[in-house]
Amino acid sequence: MIPGLPQKLTQHGLPQRVTVYEVGARDGLQNEKAVVPTSAKAEFIERLAGAGLWMIEATGFVHPKWVPQLADADELMPMLASRTFNEHTRFPVLVPNRRGLVRAAATGAKDIAVFASATETFALKNLNSTIDDSMKEIEATLQQALARRMRARGYVSMCFGDPWEGPVSMRKVTDVVVRLIDAGCTQVSLGDTIGTATPGHVRTLIDALERRGVSRDRLAVHFHDTYGQALANTYAALQAGIATVDASAGGLGGCPYAESATGNLATEDLVWMLDGLGITTGVDLQKLVDVSSWMAGILGRPAPSRTVQALMKGSKNG
Amino acid sequence: MIPGLPQKLTQHGLPQRVTVYEVGARDGLQNEKAVVPTSAKAEFIERLAGAGLWMIEATGFVHPKWVPQLADADELMPMLASRTFNEHTRFPVLVPNRRGLVRAAATGAKDIAVFASATETFALKNLNSTIDDSMKEIEATLQQALARRMRARGYVSMCFGDPWEGPVSMRKVTDVVVRLIDAGCTQVSLGDTIGTATPGHVRTLIDALERRGVSRDRLAVHFHDTYGQALANTYAALQAGIATVDASAGGLGGCPYAESATGNLATEDLVWMLDGLGITTGVDLQKLVDVSSWMAGILGRPAPSRTVQALMKGSKNG
């Protein structure tokens, strides 16, 4: 070893291979104050692919008024098309509705992601709609996407707690997940938007979904580190048979300073654990650290990922 | 909920009760640049006890030349004796050798902790000795401690990786653990000094120790967050039956800035998870957050604990 790589010691009952669904370029950059130039975004995505990531959410076709950081989605996608990637690499894009879908399709996007809320309050605040109305728009969007032979993933926000409603019942979450799958999503990502989940909760929700007929290979998990729980929750999800984990390179979207260190699970911290568990991801950790360090330079601040910090400084004792 | 407390959803096979072994006042403050006034240390410990912690490592009788932050150990302990604590509260003190034991005994200390290394290189660098020679001094120290009817815990450093030697064999670790228990330690804490451990490694080591006759109720775990793995490793240890977890209030000893965010597991992040898992600790999370915020004020910088950051700012969405 001589730190840089963890020692491999696997455990029974875990997936042999995990797909890291990289959200840094979309969910990460969307939550950064700085707006990154489009060409740097394209280079970022190219470098992420060069580090072995192959499922890279690239951007979102959301309204530029609400998310100015992603206002360049229509320019970014053609830039990616002009670059050379491994044929297996995919670039899903976030699409909130049929209008977004048309924009995404015009850029040649083949994979989309739609987003739903498990709670009425968040649906009202974030989607300006009831759950039912927002699901109807999502279903219409998915119908058109499938007609265009696109693949679709669904995100569900507030699966483990809501800042206004408090605890979220399993029933609310499973209802939305089942509806997304029935509408054609090949995968649904369970989002712990406010980071309150703990491992027993994760396991319980996955079990509840199985009882509703949702098999584990249709599920992904999306944890936040607001209370430092993201990786422990991920481990619980792996034990429950989940094999797709969302993460953000460098921990993009969470600020390393006290004010808002509530971001996504850092891809490097995730890959460190998966490497140690002997689980194949295809990701080259040191290359990924280099990419995140480069992006931190563009953003003008250190990466929140602890693994990036440790490997950048070549720390030999902590 | 309305964040502040996680939703409780337990899991089968976990301990119903966990002892949080609080190391902030010793291991935490020892690794802070600022030297905290002795009276503030006494107040810190009193407040930690007020938050429900009852196993609080108070200081260390190490050479003040090497650890100036703990040079006031002889003054601190009488201050604690003059304050009122719950009768069950214990204040172990770190003791490196017989000389330290004499000092500790003079202050009325009833619980000590000795520290050993699993690797020769770290023994040489940190203890200035071979493993065998350092163990002989530890054994002599333990013998005198037991004669004084003290209780003793052993720490083992570098159980999961060594910055100079790389991977550490299970055999090296189990040899030292068994020797500490044979010499009279009632508990041995497995230290991931450089933070490289992952959950499978944790489980494998605990299993290896059981095969050497070390039962799980004799073990504690001490994880570092250098690579963000501490809480996932803790969850794996709980699943393996470990019921004592070392943690540092507020994440003391780890700096929240990029340069050295390699500290101990934060007690608040741990308690958040344990609360969520329905595991009893006796700790009042919000009170503990208040204590850590107060100490952060004394140190003049934010607490590294994500839970402290989240609960201090009353974050309602992350």
Side-chain angles (χ1 to χ4, degrees), chain A residues 2-315:
Chain A
I2 309 300
L5 288 176
Q7 200 175 338
K8 285 194 206 304
L9 284 150
T10 191
Q11 277 294 296
H12 290 294
L14 299 179
Q16 291 191 308
R17 177 179 289 273
V18 160
T19 300
V20 177
Y21 186 99
E22 172 59 45
V23 301
R26 197 277 302 169
D27 193 3
L29 292 182
Q30 167 178 344
N31 288 295
E32 294 286 338
K33 274 185 193 165
V35 176
V36 174
T38 312
S39 60
K41 288 179 182 174
E43 185 172 350
F44 180 45
I45 290 166
E46 189 174 32
R47 286 184 180 218
L48 290 171
L53 290 156
W54 62 275
M55 189 59 98
I56 305 172
E57 199 164 284
T59 184
F61 290 88
V62 287
H63 200 294
K65 182 174 157 193
W66 306 120
V67 189
Q69 292 91 341
L70 305 183
D72 60 354
D74 309 271
E75 291 79 52
L76 176 62
M77 292 302 286
M79 278 193 200
L80 292 182
S82 72
R83 293 177 180 237
T84 308
F85 290 97
N86 181 305
E87 61 182 321
H88 301 299
T89 314
R90 306 192 75 92
F91 308 106
V93 294
L94 198 69
V95 159
N97 49 31
R98 283 170 288 180
R99 181 189 298 261
L101 181 73
V102 171
R103 284 175 60 201
T107 67
K110 291 175 185 152
D111 299 76
I112 64 159
V114 296
F115 51 101
S117 170
T119 68
E120 289 292 352
T121 314
F122 189 68
L124 280 171
K125 300 225 178 213
N126 194 51
L127 310 174
N128 202 28
S129 172
T130 63
I131 290 177
D132 190 55
D133 284 346
S134 67
M135 285 304 303
K136 283 176 182 153
E137 177 61 33
I138 288 168
E139 283 158 348
T141 306
L142 287 170
Q143 199 173 15
Q144 297 192 359
L146 298 181
R148 293 174 185 270
R149 300 183 183 281
M150 289 169 156
R151 263 197 265 180
R153 140 187 269 229
Y155 283 105
V156 183
S157 293
M158 304 297 173
C159 291
F160 298 93
D162 178 281
W164 301 279
E165 299 184 14
V168 178
S169 73
M170 302 288 158
R171 183 78 201 187
K172 282 185 184 169
V173 181
T174 55
D175 280 351
V176 173
V177 171
V178 167
R179 200 162 163 180
L180 285 168
I181 286 176
D182 287 348
C185 286
T186 54
Q187 182 174 72
V188 175
S189 174
L190 307 171
D192 181 20
T193 315
I194 58 169
T196 58
T198 49
H201 197 163
V202 172
R203 187 77 192 229
T204 307
L205 177 57
I206 295 166
D207 289 346
L209 282 160
E210 185 161 67
R211 286 195 300 274
R212 290 287 299 274
V214 180
S215 72
R216 284 138 208 253
D217 59 4
R218 303 295 290 274
L219 295 172
V221 286
H222 185 113
F223 293 122
H224 280 195
D225 242 341
T226 320
Y227 300 87
Q229 309 295 308
L231 205 56
N233 289 339
T234 301
Y235 184 56
L238 297 176
Q239 291 181 320
I242 304 298
T244 300
V245 182
D246 298 3
S248 177
L252 275 177
C255 174
Y257 305 113
E259 292 71 24
S260 59
T262 61
N264 290 301
L265 172 61
T267 311
E268 290 85 353
D269 298 11
L270 170 64
V271 170
W272 183 279
M273 183 174 80
L274 296 175
D275 276 357
L277 288 166
I279 294 172
T280 301
T281 62
V283 178
D284 181 317
L285 183 59
Q286 188 59 56
K287 276 191 188 172
L288 182 59
V289 166
D290 294 343
V291 178
S292 292
S293 305
W294 168 81
M295 178 48 75
I298 289 177
L299 293 169
R301 53 115 187 97
S305 161
R306 292 187 186 259
T307 300
V308 173
Q309 291 168 18
L311 293 183
M312 269 189 72
K313 68 186 173 191
S315 169

Side-chain angles (χ1 to χ4, degrees), chain B:
Chain B
M1 179 171 61
I2 311 300
L5 288 175
Q7 200 175 339
K8 285 194 205 306
L9 283 151
T10 190
Q11 276 295 297
H12 289 295
L14 299 179
Q16 292 192 309
R17 178 179 289 272
V18 159
T19 300
V20 178
Y21 185 100
E22 172 58 46
V23 301
R26 196 277 302 169
D27 193 4
L29 292 183
Q30 166 177 346
N31 288 296
E32 294 286 338
K33 274 184 193 165
V35 177
V36 174
T38 313
S39 60
K41 288 180 182 174
E43 185 173 349
F44 180 45
I45 291 167
E46 189 174 33
R47 286 183 180 220
L48 290 171
L53 290 156
W54 61 276
M55 188 61 95
I56 305 171
E57 198 163 284
T59 185
F61 290 88
V62 288
H63 199 295
K65 183 174 156 193
W66 305 120
V67 189
Q69 291 90 340
L70 304 183
D72 59 355
D74 308 271
E75 290 80 51
L76 176 62
M77 292 302 284
M79 277 193 200
L80 293 182
S82 73
R83 291 175 181 239
T84 308
F85 289 97
N86 180 305
E87 62 183 319
H88 302 297
T89 314
R90 307 192 73 92
F91 307 105
V93 294
L94 198 71
V95 159
N97 50 29
R98 284 171 287 180
R99 181 190 297 261
L101 181 73
V102 171
R103 283 175 62 202
T107 68
K110 290 174 186 153
D111 298 74
I112 64 160
V114 297
F115 52 99
S117 170
T119 68
E120 289 292 352
T121 314
F122 189 68
L124 281 171
K125 300 225 178 214
N126 194 50
L127 311 174
N128 201 27
S129 171
T130 63
I131 290 177
D132 190 56
D133 284 347
S134 67
M135 286 304 303
K136 283 176 182 155
E137 178 60 33
I138 288 169
E139 285 159 347
T141 306
L142 288 170
Q143 198 172 18
Q144 297 190 359
L146 298 181
R148 293 174 186 267
R149 300 181 181 282
M150 288 168 157
R151 265 199 262 179
R153 138 187 271 228
Y155 282 105
V156 182
S157 293
M158 302 298 172
C159 291
F160 298 92
D162 178 282
W164 301 278
E165 299 185 14
V168 178
S169 73
M170 302 288 159
R171 183 78 201 187
K172 281 185 183 170
V173 181
T174 55
D175 280 352
V176 172
V177 172
V178 167
R179 200 162 162 181
L180 284 168
I181 287 176
D182 287 349
C185 285
T186 53
Q187 182 174 73
V188 175
S189 174
L190 306 171
D192 181 19
T193 314
I194 58 169
T196 57
T198 49
H201 196 163
V202 172
R203 188 75 191 233
T204 307
L205 177 58
I206 294 167
D207 289 346
L209 282 160
E210 184 160 67
R211 286 195 300 274
R212 291 287 299 273
V214 180
S215 71
R216 284 138 208 254
D217 59 3
R218 302 296 290 274
L219 294 173
V221 286
H222 185 113
F223 293 122
H224 280 196
D225 242 341
T226 320
Y227 301 87
Q229 310 294 308
L231 205 56
N233 290 337
T234 301
Y235 185 56
L238 297 176
Q239 290 181 320
I242 303 299
T244 301
V245 181
D246 298 4
S248 177
L252 275 176
C255 175
Y257 305 112
E259 292 71 26
S260 58
T262 60
N264 290 301
L265 172 61
T267 311
E268 290 85 354
D269 298 9
L270 169 64
V271 170
W272 184 279
M273 183 175 81
L274 296 174
D275 277 357
L277 288 166
I279 295 172
T280 301
T281 62
V283 178
D284 180 317
L285 183 59
Q286 188 58 58
K287 276 192 188 172
L288 182 58
V289 166
D290 294 342
V291 178
S292 292
S293 305
W294 168 81
M295 178 48 75
I298 289 177
L299 293 168
R301 54 115 187 98
S305 161
R306 292 188 186 257
T307 300
V308 172
Q309 291 168 19
L311 293 183
M312 267 188 73
K313 69 185 173 192
S315 169
K316 293 220 159 185
N317 40 27

